Amino acid sequence: MKTTMIISLIAISIGATGLTSCNKKLDLVPVSTISDASYWKTPDQFDAFVTGLHTRFRDHAQGFMYLGELRGDIFGNDAGTSASFTGEASQGLERMWLHNLDLDNPGVSNYGDFYSNINQLNLLISKLNSTNVVTEATKQYYLGIAHGMRAFYYFQLYRSWGKAILQTEAIADIDVANLAKEASPANEVLDLVRQDIETSISHFVSDYSIRSNKAFWSKSASLMLKAEVFLWTAHREGGAADAEVAKQALLEVQSNLSLNLLTSYREVFDAANKGNAEMIFVIRHQLNEATLGFIGNFVPQTGLIANFYDSLENRQFSVTADNYGGILRAPTKIQTYRKFEEDDTRKNTSIQAAYEKDNEGKYRMAGCFLRKFQGEQNAGMRAYTNDYPIYRYADLLLLLAEAKAILGENPADEINQVRQRAYGSNYQAAVHGYPNQLVDTNPAEAILQERFFEFVGEGKRWYDLRRFGDAFVYKYTGLPASDAYKLYWPIDRNTLTNNRSLAQTDGYSQF
């Protein structure tokens, strides 16, 4: 076990840096020199490198969350406030939900640092295609992982910046001159995403196994990504044809994996319940290994929350039990909390409401924060060891409902499975079931609302609104149609300086 871990760390540290640290030379020998001399010689080294890729993927969880959710309508300061209810300032994060980003305040810099792992994936693809060290089955499985993960990264770039630098070969020499490459048009980025998805699926052949207790990329992850991509285009020029492709991809996952919704919504995210039957692909966190780092921006300081009350438990928060240890830069909006019905178990699992209490013992809501990822207590400290889901079964069901709605089919079964789990013993089909709620008169609105309730804190909301169409963005967020260029993110000043072949995202200031 120790040997594997050491090799994995070496694989990560000597790997090509790609487009991430291009403002200076690094004191590293080029990756091809080190690796060809002492690496890629045994199956264990390939195994360790693939583990290292997933470790790097874990490092990008914050980028996935920020790009996918912070510009939506879930987080932010409530009307009339400029800081969280505990007094902690947002320190620039508010620019994302207020949509006033620019090249000096880009929200996410350096393309999320995604190119660092894209380059590692390129390197693995190259080495796998030229090796006879690993078995053919292992080669095919790892090529499936590499192409699938690369497609995932480029889909983030496509949805966030539109245009992106297409780099499919590993860069050995870390030099600014080698990175002076302009971005390709958005349609070419999407073409690469689709090509990589199909290549990934073909390499996996009929192997639907998911390794490392759901923490490794798999054929099902590639199929989930395929569904997302084709639903994106189905809402645009692709129409019913692309919706059908998405539907078939989702049905393939459903028929080849033993998946189900857990009875308890809370148990889905329990740090002690990893790799459960609802998960398809997760970012793994473990005690004394790695924790969900970005969570600190979504929960309050321990000492400050102790000044408030939990009205449901009729108690004051305590330093020992409620040791969140964060700095609440991105509070959950009170209006987000109030959108949930009281009987919906997702409400108080996903969000913690905090109250003030007056001299008469009456509670008044002061604010809210993210509660979904509670981690575990360790030696009097809270460690955020929850797995972070990228794809899970509830996502499959609601994407399938979306595809059916586009195709003019009935999405009731999929929507109602999710709603029934959410309400548990309080579920009443005539009240809660589709199509019996007022929102259900518009299937798109019904699905968007269900995804809002289901995926708080999972990096989905902004992407969901963007996928369904720009009109939904303008309706639910503070972004007006007159600023349509802000649907995409600006490129930061440092990246533009280091690569003079890049042009700023249309509409934003170049310098």
Side-chain angles (χ1 to χ4, degrees), residues 233-284:
T233 54
H235 285 290
R236 292 163 174 79
E237 71 282 354
D242 282 5
E244 183 63 33
V245 173
K247 175 184 172 182
Q248 294 307 317
L250 295 165
L251 291 174
E252 184 174 349
V253 176
Q254 194 175 47
S255 62
N256 285 283
L257 287 182
S258 296
L259 297 168
N260 60 265
L261 296 177
L262 301 192
T263 303
S264 166
Y265 184 73
R266 190 180 302 275
E267 289 180 0
V268 176
F269 313 99
D270 192 332
N273 196 25
K274 298 182 185 297
N276 61 65
E278 187 159 335
M279 298 304 185
I280 298 172
F281 173 53
V282 303
I283 296 177
R284 173 60 35 81

Side-chain angles (χ1 to χ4, degrees), residues 164-175:
I165 296 171
L166 295 183
Q167 185 67 37
T168 56
E169 296 180 1
I171 300 171
D173 190 10
I174 304 167
D175 191 288

